Amino acid sequence: MLAPLAGSVALAVLLGVAAFVVVNRDRGCSGDALPLRVTAAPDIQPVLSRIAARFNEAAHEVDGRCAVVTVTKALPAIVTSSLAGVGGKTSPMHVWIPDSSLWLSSLRADRADVPTEGTSVARSPIVLAASGSVVPNLKKSLGEIRWRGVVGAANVANVDGPGRKVRVLMLDPSLNATGLGALLSASAAVGPGGAGQEQLVGALKSLSGSSATLRDQEALLSSLGVKGAKAPVGVASEQSVWAFNTTRKPEVPVVPLYPAEGTLSLDYPMVVVTEQAAERAAAEAFRKELEGEASREALRSAGFRTPDGRGGKAISDSGGFRAQAPQALKTPDARTVAGMIQTWSRIKLGSRLVTLLDVSGTMALPVPGTRLTRMQAISRIAIEGMRLFPLKSEMGLWEFSTHLDGRGVDYRETVPVGPLTENLDGVLRRDLLNRKLAGARAKETGDTGLNDALAAAYERMTEEYQSDKINTVLVLTDGAGNDDPDGGISNREILTRLKEQYDSEKPVSVLIIAFGPDAPRGRRQMEALAKATGGEAYIAKDVLEVRKFFLEGMKRRLCAPNC
C-alpha cells in the first residue's frame, strides 16, 4: 500500500508544479518551476500551506525560475531522529519549521553540523490548561497558578501536598517540545539546587511511571474533561488550547492558565537545510512573505502569536486567554536542554532493587523517645520507601544477621526480586513485601554480619543486571557496623570487592539508610561502602525523612557516574 500511495503523492506534486508553471507564465513568471519543499510541525502546517498558496499565486521569480512552495507536515521528534541518524524517515526537504528551537538544541548537544537556527515565524507560550469547570477548585488547592505548585502536586514524595486533590498530566518530553519546555520552565522556576530540584525529581518520578504522561496534545486536552476524584491540570501550548476549543467544541471549554513565574514559548524557527543557492534564495523569498502583515494576520487568526508576542482576536482577553504575552523565561542553552532530556530518559528507567534488612539482636532495642523498637522503625522506613516506587518496579527482600540460614550463612532470601505485580502463591509481591517487613523480628542472639550479606547480594544483582532498569542494593540497618565475631568478610575486604565488581557501564549502586543511636558511629564505613559503587549513605532521624533520602538517591543516580 505504501508504494502506490507514495507514487500518487509524487504525481500530484508534479502535476501541481506543472499547472503552476502554465498559469504563471501568463503572470510574468516565465521560467521553469523551482520547487521549495518545506516540512513543518503539524500544528502550524495548515496555516503555512495557506500562506504558501498565496505566495505561489503571486508568482515569485528566483534566479529566472518560478518559486513553488509546498508545505508538508511531520512530527518534529521524527525529523530530529532522522537528522541525528538514529531512526525516523522523512521526505526530502529544503526548509524545516519545527515547533521549537529545543529540537535544534538537543541535536546541537551531540552534533556540530546542525543547521543554524533560523528566524522565528510564530510563537505560542507553554501554559497550564484545565477544564473551566475545575479551575476554581484548582486555585483552592494550588493558590496562585505557579510551576512550583504543579511540581508540588506531582511530587511522589509529597503525599500530604496538593497532589491529594490535583492530578498533573504531562506530555512526553522525548516526543513533544511542549512537554520538554514545561519541564525546563518548571526547573527554572524551582531553582538550580536544593529542595526545589528534589521536588522536581519526585515529580518526574511520578509522571514518568504513570498514565499521566501522554504522547499526544489532543489526547491530553480531551482527558481534562474527564471527571474524577482529583482535578486534572495539564501542559499545553496556548495555540493548542485555542485549536482544541475551536475544532472539538467541548461542552466546557479548556482554559489556559499562565504560570506566575513566566514560561518558555514554542518559537517555530525557520531552518534552511539545503545548500543549493537557488533553493536558499527561494527560502529567503518565502521568509520575507512570512514576515509580511498578511501572513502575520493569518498566523494570529490561527491562534498563534507573531514573533513579537502579539496575538490576534483568537486569543484576546476572553475564555482565560490573555492578549498580553506572558513573562518570558530565559531560553536554556543546549547543555541544559540535553541534561533535561537525559534526566527524563534515566528516570523513566524501571527500578530493580533488593532490600537488605538488618535483623540482628540490636534491632530489638527500643528507640529513645518512641514506643518503637529499632526493627519496627526500620520496617516502617522500608514500607514508606516502597510507596515511592511505581508498580512496574522489581523488588525483593533479604534479611541479614550472623548464622541466619545455617552455620556461616549470614543472610536469608525472604522474597526473591521480581515485579511488584507478580503473583506469588496467590499474593502480589508488593503485598508480600509489606507483610514480611511488618512482621520482621530481630534474632536475639544474632550479630550483624552485614559484609557477607552485602557481598552476596551485590554479586547476585550484578549477575542479574538489567540494562533497562536502575539496579540498587538498599541496606536498612541500625548502623551498628559489621559485628561478626566468627569471622567472615572484613571491612577492608568488602570495600575491595565492591570496587572491583563495580562496573560504570553496568552500574549497581549501594544505598544505605541507617536509623538509631548507633548509626553515627558507623557513618564512615557506610559512606565508604556506598561511595565504592556510586551510591549514598544516609542517617535518618525521623521515619518520614526516608522520602527525602529516596529522592536524593534518585537524583544522584540521574547524574551518575559524573555527579
Side-chain angles (χ1 to χ4, degrees):
M1 291 296 291
L2 289 178
L5 178 60
S8 299
V9 171
L11 179 61
V13 170
L14 289 172
L15 290 175
V17 170
F20 171 86
V21 171
V22 170
V23 169
N24 284 284
R25 276 178 178 160
D26 297 331
R27 296 185 178 179
C29 186
S30 58
D32 294 333
L34 174 59
L36 183 71
R37 293 185 290 268
V38 178
T39 297
D43 53 350
I44 202 171
Q45 183 266 341
V47 64
L48 290 181
S49 289
R50 293 194 292 272
I51 294 172
R54 187 179 66 244
F55 175 86
N56 294 340
E57 260 186 62
H60 291 264
E61 187 169 318
V62 177
D63 290 344
R65 300 169 68 185
C66 298
V68 185
V69 178
T70 55
V71 185
T72 57
K73 64 182 177 180
L75 292 172
I78 293 177
V79 178
T80 300
S81 296
S82 178
L83 292 175
V86 294
K89 291 184 178 180
T90 58
S91 301
M93 63 182 178
H94 304 121
V95 174
W96 181 34
I97 304 180
D99 53 3
S100 175
S101 298
L102 295 176
W103 297 111
L104 297 172
S105 294
S106 66
L107 280 170
R108 196 167 288 114
D110 298 318
R111 296 185 55 171
D113 59 343
V114 175
T116 303
E117 289 186 29
T119 306
S120 170
V121 302
R123 300 188 78 83
S124 188
I126 296 170
V127 299
L128 296 166
S131 171
S133 61
V134 305
V135 169
N137 288 336
L138 272 177
K139 291 184 176 180
K140 284 182 182 178
S141 298
L142 298 177
E144 184 180 28
I145 300 300
R146 307 178 69 88
W147 289 114
R148 274 185 173 273
V150 175
V151 168
N155 182 3
V156 68
N158 190 14
V159 294
D160 299 319
R164 293 177 301 165
K165 297 182 179 180
V166 176
R167 182 171 184 246
V168 180
L169 302 177
M170 184 65 185
L171 286 169
D172 190 332
S174 64
L175 302 173
N176 195 293
T178 299
L180 179 57
L183 291 185
L184 290 165
S185 297
S187 180
V190 301
Q197 285 296 314
E198 287 172 11
Q199 286 192 20
L200 182 62
V201 170
L204 292 175
K205 186 64 178 176
S206 173
L207 294 171
S208 68
S210 73
S211 59
T213 295
L214 305 172
R215 297 168 64 90
D216 178 70
Q217 180 74 83
E218 186 165 312
L220 185 149
L221 293 172
S222 296
S223 67
L224 295 176
V226 178
K227 295 181 179 178
K230 298 181 179 182
V233 60
V235 299
S237 71
E238 182 185 60
Q239 190 275 341
S240 72
V241 175
W242 173 85
F244 180 79
N245 288 339
T246 302
T247 59
R248 295 294 296 273
K249 302 186 186 306
E251 184 177 345
V252 180
V254 174
V255 175
L257 304 168
Y258 300 84
E261 303 100 329
T263 190
L264 296 174
S265 290
L266 303 183
D267 59 346
Y268 301 92
M270 182 175 176
V271 184
V272 180
V273 296
T274 180
E275 296 295 332
Q276 299 301 315
E279 291 158 354
R280 292 184 72 86
E284 177 62 16
F286 187 54
R287 182 189 65 77
K288 290 180 178 178
E289 179 73 22
L290 291 172
E291 290 181 344
E293 186 53 37
S295 296
R296 293 196 166 189
E297 182 55 37
L299 288 162
R300 287 192 287 262
S301 296
F304 295 97
R305 294 177 184 266
T306 45
D308 58 5
R310 287 183 55 203
K313 292 180 180 179
I315 51 173
S316 57
D317 289 320
S318 62
F321 290 96
R322 296 180 184 175
Q324 183 176 358
Q327 178 182 338
L329 294 174
K330 181 181 178 181
T331 302
D333 58 24
R335 182 177 180 181
T336 301
V337 174
M340 181 59 74
I341 293 172
Q342 177 180 296
T343 294
W344 178 258
S345 176
R346 287 194 177 187
I347 210 161
K348 274 180 68 66
L349 292 173
S351 294
R352 194 165 194 275
L353 179 147
V354 62
T355 297
L356 301 188
L357 180 65
D358 188 347
V359 294
S360 61
T362 57
M363 295 291 286
L365 297 175
V367 177
T370 74
R371 297 183 178 180
L372 302 175
T373 65
R374 296 182 186 181
M375 176 60 70
Q376 290 170 330
I378 290 288
S379 294
R380 289 189 182 185
I381 284 175
I383 293 170
E384 177 70 26
M386 269 186 51
R387 293 174 182 169
L388 304 182
F389 290 85
L391 288 175
K392 68 178 183 180
S393 303
E394 295 188 8
M395 302 183 75
L397 176 66
W398 290 20
E399 296 175 340
F400 68 91
S401 180
T402 51
H403 312 304
L404 190 62
D405 198 26
R407 187 73 184 173
V409 181
D410 297 348
Y411 54 88
R412 176 170 58 215
E413 186 175 21
T414 308
V415 180
V417 175
L420 288 175
T421 54
E422 186 177 6
N423 192 302
L424 300 176
D425 296 327
V427 182
L428 291 180
R429 180 177 268 102
R430 185 164 202 158
D431 295 335
L432 183 60
L433 285 167
N434 281 327
R435 289 184 194 176
K436 293 293 185 181
L437 288 167
R441 297 290 180 269
K443 180 183 177 184
E444 293 184 7
T445 59
D447 293 305
T448 308
L450 168 62
N451 292 348
D452 283 28
L454 179 56
Y458 197 84
E459 183 175 351
R460 175 83 66 85
M461 290 292 286
T462 300
E463 290 173 352
E464 299 176 355
Y465 176 85
Q466 294 187 14
S467 60
D468 63 337
K469 295 179 176 63
I470 295 175
N471 299 258
T472 307
V473 177
L474 169 64
V475 179
L476 296 175
T477 179
D478 61 1
N482 182 52
D483 190 22
D484 192 351
D486 293 326
I489 300 173
S490 69
N491 286 346
R492 178 176 294 181
E493 287 173 330
I494 187 62
L495 282 172
T496 300
R497 284 198 187 191
L498 292 178
K499 290 175 181 178
E500 289 176 349
Q501 289 184 324
Y502 178 74
D503 182 352
S504 60
E505 297 298 320
K506 299 169 61 177
V508 177
S509 58
V510 173
L511 178 65
I512 302 176
I513 297 179
F515 181 82
D518 293 328
R521 185 160 49 89
R523 178 191 290 272
R524 184 174 180 179
Q525 177 66 7
M526 288 188 292
E527 289 179 344
L529 292 172
K531 185 178 180 181
T533 63
E536 196 68 78
Y538 304 99
I539 295 178
K541 298 177 182 178
D542 181 270
V543 172
L544 295 182
E545 276 192 297
V546 70
R547 298 175 188 168
K548 177 182 178 182
F549 295 156
F550 271 96
L551 289 184
E552 288 181 357
M554 291 175 188
K555 182 180 175 183
R556 185 174 182 83
R557 289 197 295 275
L558 295 178
C559 61
N562 302 310
C563 297

